[in-house]
Amino acid sequence: MVKRLVPLALAFFACKSAPEPAPAAAPTSAPASAPASAPASRPSFVAAVPATTATITAQALREHVFTLADDALEGRGPDTKGIHRAADYLEDALIGMGLKPAFDRRYRQPFTMAVAIEVKGTPQLYAGTRALKFGKDFAVFPFSKSGDAKGALAFAGFGVSAKDFDYDDYAGIDVKDRVVVVLSGEPGDEDNKSVFDGRRPTRHSFLRTKALVAREAGAKALLVVREKPLADTKRFAAESDAGIVVLPISKAAAKRLLGFDVDAKKKAIDGDYKPRSLLSKRTAKLSATLARIERTVENVGAVLPGTEAGAVVIGAHYDHLGYGDSGSLVTSGEKLVHNGADDNASGTAVVLEVARALAARGDKPRRSVYFFLFAGEEAGLLGSNYLVKHPPFAMADVTAMINLDMVGRLRDEKLNVMGTKTAVEWPSFVKDVVDRYALKGSFGGDGYGPSDHTSFYAEKVPVLYLFTGAHSEYHKPSDDADTLNYQGMAKVAAIAHDLLVSVADGAGRPTYVEIAAPVKMGGGHGYGPYFGSIPDFGEGVDGVLLSGVREGSPADKAGVKKGDIIVEFGGVAVHNLQDFTVALRRCAPGDEVEVRVKRGEEVITVKAKLEKRGG
């Protein structure tokens, strides 16, 4: 399940992260229970599931997971050889089932993705004419712009411009074309009575927020004083740049640059919450060259041709975090293989065994059934996004998409089925199928969320997303193959099979539902301002390309449309999703903001009244 989107995806959706313990079950080869016939009152698009389908066993699922989650596959990270070994395994399995290639004559669909940011050469920083030492006095942030800067210095306190707290470190000083030095954190971050709520950091303490504020104020570069020791790190997980050179510096380096002890300034600001910003006659010169490292990865897919027009899709992502990178929830910093047994070798195994069961039927379904295993999900649904932009079929012909992500830890016989609001007929139909296997279903949800069904729902395809719940091993090296409940997986696989076969063989098709904006919540701090745009994570454009807009949202009411590119929000230039996230965070519910969007060759300005984020 995608994690690397945090914090950028806070403008869109939050990853599921509520941990709870997950007991392991002894792997067996017990078959899933035989399905009963569909009820007589089933919708017109639902066909009865034959009682003689091939059995999906816990043992077969276990073998797939143990192969995919083996250390030899290096966590199936996009920058490893292991992800290509995994693709080989998946292709061989689909060929062995006698299924046809999904992509014309190929089982693979390659695409490129950024996997890292690499610092080239040795960055430079001079306090006047004195060279400071990389790795001791200063380092580089991965979101720094590549380039150089030279100019007079300015000290801007904590680099905070917060109208919601009536505090502005940039008030009364002009930092245009200067190199700005700021402190980490925010005023009173050790004071529980701070106006900034010292019990927890606010959005104003975020590094990207500081960078955007400095950039918008006209600074040439930003130097952030860090409490932690610095390191000469030269390779980072990929992320977009902040549009300004941003370097972390030590306290000693800050004193050399500015000529005074920044701790004394911090203490003074914390004492009365009044800025102590100033312009300096001292100068600084700096340079840093960063490059995006890209790799080619591949979606893997096959098709069971149908007798009539139309298609049904079942899919899962097979990539994971490799050796951890920024997506890991382990804080030690140690480089460890993250095998991703539940996330998402489990869903991949289910897709393979459902494919095997359908291929063994001996007859063709009414609609063609496509089996897809996606790469690039952990970096932002990149594989599924690429597929819906370059599909092997007409997207309008896709009847439904079923997504399996983290389905290996069934506990207390509880299965989450999300997306049931995306088709009129889903709720009762899905409940009937889940009830066949005596599981307690949790149903609901729109078609947006932190997994690959989102890409299809944005193209107006009804979706279902099967998920057995979050757990304490999520995005950790301990998510290993011996921790999964394979008997539970077999039940989930049987349910996925029945859902798929019913829709593939049915005469009609489920009725797509456009989900309106969520109900707004009142009281407390809430979840911040709500706009309602759905970013397209797969396209590299200057700005934020939208794959959709929530019905009834502020964006929708303002006239923002799918395909628009947001280039400015609330007076802040938007070059990427991080810029948009920071710009949105600087606003409050009830604010009316101007939004500039590029629509074709035209740039349009609209006004949107932000609302309170709901749930």
Side-chain angles (χ1 to χ4, degrees), residues 1 16 18-23 341-344 346-347 350 403-418 434 439-442 465-472 474 479 483-493 495:
M1 183 179 296
K16 295 166 183 61
E20 41 182 291
D342 191 28
D343 185 14
N344 185 35
S346 65
V350 168
N403 182 36
L404 288 301
D405 195 349
M406 294 179 62
V407 292
R409 288 174 177 256
L410 188 71
R411 288 149 287 176
D412 302 322
E413 302 296 282
K414 293 180 181 178
L415 175 65
N416 301 297
V417 184
M418 288 168 272
V434 173
L439 295 189
K440 292 173 280 188
S442 173
Y465 166 29
L466 278 61
F467 172 56
T468 55
H471 50 79
S472 59
Y474 173 68
D479 181 12
T483 65
L484 302 195
N485 175 356
Y486 293 99
Q487 289 177 314
M489 274 181 66
K491 290 184 179 180
V492 175
I495 289 169

Side-chain angles (χ1 to χ4, degrees), residues 43-68:
S44 63
F45 71 84
V46 175
V49 179
T52 57
T53 54
T55 300
I56 298 173
T57 68
Q59 181 62 29
L61 294 166
R62 180 181 186 274
E63 290 173 0
H64 289 310
V65 173
F66 267 79
T67 299
L68 293 167

Side-chain angles (χ1 to χ4, degrees), residues 244-561:
I244 185 174
V245 180
V246 191
L247 309 180
I249 63 172
S250 69
K251 290 181 181 179
K255 187 172 184 178
R256 292 192 193 103
L257 286 159
L258 295 167
F260 58 79
D261 184 355
V262 294
D263 272 343
K265 294 289 187 182
K266 180 181 188 303
K267 185 176 180 180
I269 298 171
D270 286 345
D272 58 14
Y273 301 111
K274 293 181 180 178
R276 299 293 197 282
S277 303
L278 56 87
L279 303 179
S280 174
K281 293 182 179 179
R282 293 172 175 249
T283 62
K285 182 173 68 172
L286 54 101
S287 64
T289 302
L290 296 88
R292 289 169 65 83
I293 307 302
E294 294 189 336
R295 297 283 185 266
T296 297
V297 293
E298 297 164 308
N299 293 326
V300 182
V303 60
L304 180 62
T307 59
E308 299 179 11
V312 181
V313 172
I314 184 169
H317 76 91
Y318 72 94
D319 65 305
H320 195 54
L321 302 180
Y323 291 93
D325 294 330
S326 63
S328 176
L329 294 183
V330 174
T331 58
S332 66
E334 188 177 359
K335 187 176 180 180
L336 298 170
V337 176
H338 288 54
N339 282 319
D342 191 28
D343 185 14
N344 185 35
S346 65
T348 302
V350 168
V351 172
L352 289 177
E353 285 309 296
V354 170
R356 188 184 308 279
L358 265 68
R361 288 200 326 175
D363 59 341
K364 292 184 176 181
R366 184 190 295 263
R367 295 181 180 86
S368 296
V369 180
Y370 284 82
F371 308 93
F372 291 128
L373 295 316
F374 305 110
E377 190 267 0
E378 296 287 0
L381 318 183
L382 300 184
S384 56
N385 190 291
Y386 186 85
L387 189 142
V388 300
K389 298 291 189 304
H390 307 86
F393 37 56
M395 288 302 300
D397 291 338
V398 181
T399 297
M401 190 271 181
I402 299 172
N403 182 36
L404 288 301
D405 195 349
M406 294 179 62
V407 292
R409 288 174 177 256
L410 188 71
R411 288 149 287 176
D412 302 322
E413 302 296 282
K414 293 180 181 178
L415 175 65
N416 301 297
V417 184
M418 288 168 272
T420 56
K421 294 180 180 179
T422 64
V424 172
E425 302 85 355
W426 275 166
S428 60
F429 160 58
V430 174
K431 184 179 185 302
D432 287 341
V433 175
V434 173
D435 285 350
R436 297 176 192 173
Y437 297 92
L439 295 189
K440 292 173 280 188
S442 173
F443 310 106
D446 60 22
Y448 295 115
S451 194
D452 291 303
H453 58 287
T454 295
S455 299
F456 287 81
Y457 184 64
E459 297 296 324
K460 300 191 179 302
V461 175
V463 297
L464 292 171
Y465 166 29
L466 278 61
F467 172 56
T468 55
H471 50 79
S472 59
E473 314 309 324
Y474 173 68
H475 279 214
K476 295 179 180 178
S478 49
D479 181 12
D480 274 324
D482 59 359
T483 65
L484 302 195
N485 175 356
Y486 293 99
Q487 289 177 314
M489 274 181 66
K491 290 184 179 180
V492 175
I495 289 169
H497 168 273
D498 290 7
L499 293 171
L500 185 68
V501 171
S502 295
V503 178
D505 285 343
R509 60 185 295 167
T511 308
Y512 173 84
V513 175
E514 182 78 28
I515 307 298
V519 176
K520 306 304 173 293
M521 301 175 68
H525 290 286
Y527 297 93
Y530 170 69
F531 183 57
S533 57
I534 309 299
D536 186 324
F537 295 105
E539 296 291 336
V541 300
D542 185 18
V544 175
L545 175 66
L546 301 183
S547 65
V549 173
R550 292 263 198 168
E551 182 183 3
S553 67
D556 182 38
K557 294 173 184 176
V560 179
K561 300 179 180 180

Side-chain angles (χ1 to χ4, degrees), residues 117-119 123 134 138-146 180 182-185 205-208 210-211 221-250 288-291:
I117 298 293
E118 195 167 80
V119 179
F134 177 64
F138 74 101
V140 178
F141 284 121
F143 56 85
S144 173
K145 179 182 178 181
S146 183
V180 176
V182 301
L183 299 165
S184 300
S205 69
F206 299 159
L207 292 171
R208 302 254 351 183
K210 293 176 187 286
L222 181 68
L223 307 179
V224 183
V225 183
R226 302 303 299 270
E227 298 285 342
K228 299 178 181 179
L230 303 177
D232 56 353
T233 304
K234 286 195 170 185
R235 191 177 177 91
F236 308 91
E239 56 180 292
S240 59
D241 73 65
I244 185 174
V245 180
V246 191
L247 309 180
I249 63 172
S250 69
T289 302
L290 296 88

Side-chain angles (χ1 to χ4, degrees), residues 198-222:
R199 293 166 296 177
R200 58 183 178 182
T202 73
R203 62 189 180 277
H204 301 292
S205 69
F206 299 159
L207 292 171
R208 302 254 351 183
T209 303
K210 293 176 187 286
L212 184 142
V213 171
R215 187 192 80 191
E216 293 300 296
K220 281 188 173 180
L222 181 68

